[in-house]
Amino acid sequence: VRILDSTLREGEQAPSVTLDFGQRFAIAQKLDQTGVDFIEVSSIVSADHRALIGELCSAGLHASVVAHCRAIESDIDAVSGDCPGAKWVAVFISTSDVHLDNKLKISRIEALGKISRTTAYAKDHGYSVRFTAEDAGRTDRKFLAEACMAASAAGADRISLPDTVGSMTPDAMEGMVAFVRSAVSTPLDLHCHNDLGLALANTIAGLASGADCAHVTINGVGERCGIASLAEVAMALQTLYGVETGINTENLVPLSKMLAECSGVPFDQFTPVVGENAFRHKGGTHLAALLANPESYEAFAPERVGNSRRMVLGEHSGKNVVGFLNDKLGIGLDEGGIEKTVARLKDKRRDLFEFSAQ
Ligand code: HCA
Ligand code: CU
């Protein structure tokens, strides 16, 4: 499974996520060290973005840089003019009737023409080309297959099938991918929005059904509720499916913090994998079991993702954790002293302190 990170394209479409040139470059380098296969950057937002693509292409990254453009010849010209060394372009055009009628105001036939022409145009300019059928999730199945066949015939190297408004179920995603798979053999990307909290589930369903590249962003940032997050996709694939993504998972928390610091947009403490609470435990029975074996209440070890385990003490605590600290710190309480301490913790009716427990 390949991972495409779109923090510098989709991610920057999130309100408040704005980065300067240096921050974008540093994030791309860190993403590269983390092992993503593709780094996507918008080529249509500004000359600054195109300059970034050029710089990244000559920086000797392992990841391929993808210049995201509309299915318009002049967008491709801008990449060839301003982004020396660029190898991949993505050309996107909507295929759903709601977008064709209201946004592009063109017919399906006209859309097919644009798909063929711009894909061929980008190929003629020597690029590897990804065609994106924007709003694939709401596109008539037969027409989606036709659009993909047109892109494929014009030489597309990959096809992206986005759930642009996050309105698909995992079953629908499986069906869509299987249907397109039966029409073209071009490798497929998935790009799942999180409007109903199903981005991760839909991404996994699509991969299981034959797609081989997942679009993600750091902290899941993107338009509206964002898309699937790098940390969740990488860890779900590794721990639940044993799928190798090539992601150095110890970088996940540092990357999340880096984006939060650069953009000023924090991530919630309850965020899976990278959130402050992901390995922070509180219930008395939980702490007792964790002290015997951390696996009791953890799906995977915090060190694997650059996170750390913490135990919170207060009215929920019991004898086990107090006894543990008593031994660890050599406080020397006897059984009665431990019981008294537990009673006093309960009296306070709140969390009193926490300690790290690696
Ligand atoms: C966009 C739409 C997009 C494209 C996804 C892709 C979507 O903002 O351009 O190119 O794979 O969600 O459909 O992000
Ligand atoms: Cu998107």
Side-chain angles (χ1 to χ4, degrees):
V1 169
R2 282 159 241 257
I3 302 289
L4 177 145
D5 184 279
S6 188
T7 305
L8 301 176
R9 200 281 296 169
E10 174 78 50
E12 287 198 34
Q13 288 177 227
S16 304
V17 175
T18 42
L19 302 165
D20 64 27
F21 193 94
Q23 291 171 328
R24 289 186 187 120
F25 195 86
I27 287 170
Q29 276 183 318
K30 186 93 179 161
L31 282 166
D32 191 52
Q33 289 157 13
T34 303
V36 304
D37 300 281
F38 295 100
I39 295 175
E40 184 171 80
V41 179
S42 175
S43 66
I44 59 179
V45 171
S46 69
D48 225 38
H49 283 76
R50 289 193 291 279
L52 177 74
I53 294 171
E55 291 277 321
L56 290 174
C57 288
S58 57
L61 304 182
H62 302 285
S64 301
V65 180
V66 181
H68 199 249
C69 353
R70 292 166 297 185
I72 300 178
E73 281 85 344
S74 58
D75 280 9
I76 295 158
D77 292 339
V79 175
S80 58
D82 297 348
C83 313
K87 295 206 167 53
W88 274 90
V89 297
V91 292
F92 70 93
I93 186 167
S94 301
T95 49
S96 67
D97 288 334
V98 59
H99 278 208
L100 291 177
D101 294 347
N102 301 288
K103 175 180 133 178
L104 300 171
K105 303 188 193 328
I106 58 171
S107 68
R108 287 183 178 183
I109 301 290
E110 285 170 297
L112 289 178
K114 283 179 190 285
I115 292 166
S116 303
R117 279 198 306 276
T118 49
T119 302
Y121 189 77
K123 288 301 293 181
D124 286 346
H125 281 68
Y127 294 114
S128 293
V129 180
R130 183 185 97 220
F131 158 65
T132 293
E134 185 178 356
D135 209 15
R138 292 189 298 178
T139 300
D140 170 75
R141 281 284 159 82
K142 255 188 77 208
F143 182 63
L144 179 61
E146 282 174 47
C148 293
M149 287 190 287
S152 217
D157 300 279
R158 303 196 59 87
I159 293 174
S160 172
L161 300 175
D163 176 14
T164 301
V165 295
S167 61
M168 296 182 85
T169 61
D171 280 353
M173 177 58 76
E174 251 178 64
M176 176 176 77
V177 171
F179 193 81
V180 172
R181 252 294 57 101
S182 67
V184 293
S185 57
T186 315
L188 302 177
D189 287 31
L190 299 167
H191 176 106
C192 300
H193 275 267
N194 205 30
D195 299 69
L196 287 160
L198 286 170
L200 175 64
N202 288 340
T203 300
I204 287 174
L207 291 173
S209 201
D212 74 354
C213 177
H215 291 198
V216 298
T217 59
I218 304 168
N219 299 337
V221 293
E223 290 274 358
R224 307 181 310 280
C225 312
I227 65 168
S229 100
L230 168 60
E232 291 172 33
V233 168
M235 289 313 289
L237 288 175
Q238 272 198 16
T239 57
L240 305 178
Y241 297 88
V243 169
E244 195 33 72
T245 56
I247 296 294
N248 301 318
T249 55
E250 325 80 65
N251 272 6
L252 292 173
V253 168
L255 258 178
S256 287
K257 289 187 172 162
M258 182 176 188
L259 180 69
E261 274 156 29
C262 287
S263 65
V265 178
F267 52 103
D268 198 86
Q269 57 186 339
F270 288 101
T271 309
V273 182
V274 295
E276 201 188 336
N277 286 2
F279 301 91
R280 205 155 161 231
H281 307 275
K282 177 167 154 183
T285 54
H286 291 230
L287 300 194
L290 281 153
L291 289 170
N293 182 352
E295 276 184 28
S296 322
Y297 283 100
E298 287 171 358
F300 50 88
E303 305 82 60
R304 277 180 62 190
V305 295
N307 213 331
S308 58
R309 178 179 306 119
R310 299 187 71 78
M311 296 196 180
V312 180
L313 269 81
E315 72 168 326
H316 288 76
S317 312
K319 276 195 311 198
N320 274 290
V321 71
V322 173
F324 170 81
L325 285 176
N326 183 45
D327 292 347
K328 196 96 182 154
L329 303 174
I331 300 174
L333 293 175
D334 59 11
E335 196 62 20
I338 290 174
E339 268 164 29
K340 246 187 234 159
T341 307
V342 172
R344 285 171 77 177
L345 284 173
K346 292 197 183 293
D347 258 4
K348 301 287 185 204
R349 291 205 185 77
R350 60 190 167 88
D351 301 342
L352 283 180
F353 66 93
E354 60 185 75
F355 64 100
S356 95
Q358 294 313 337

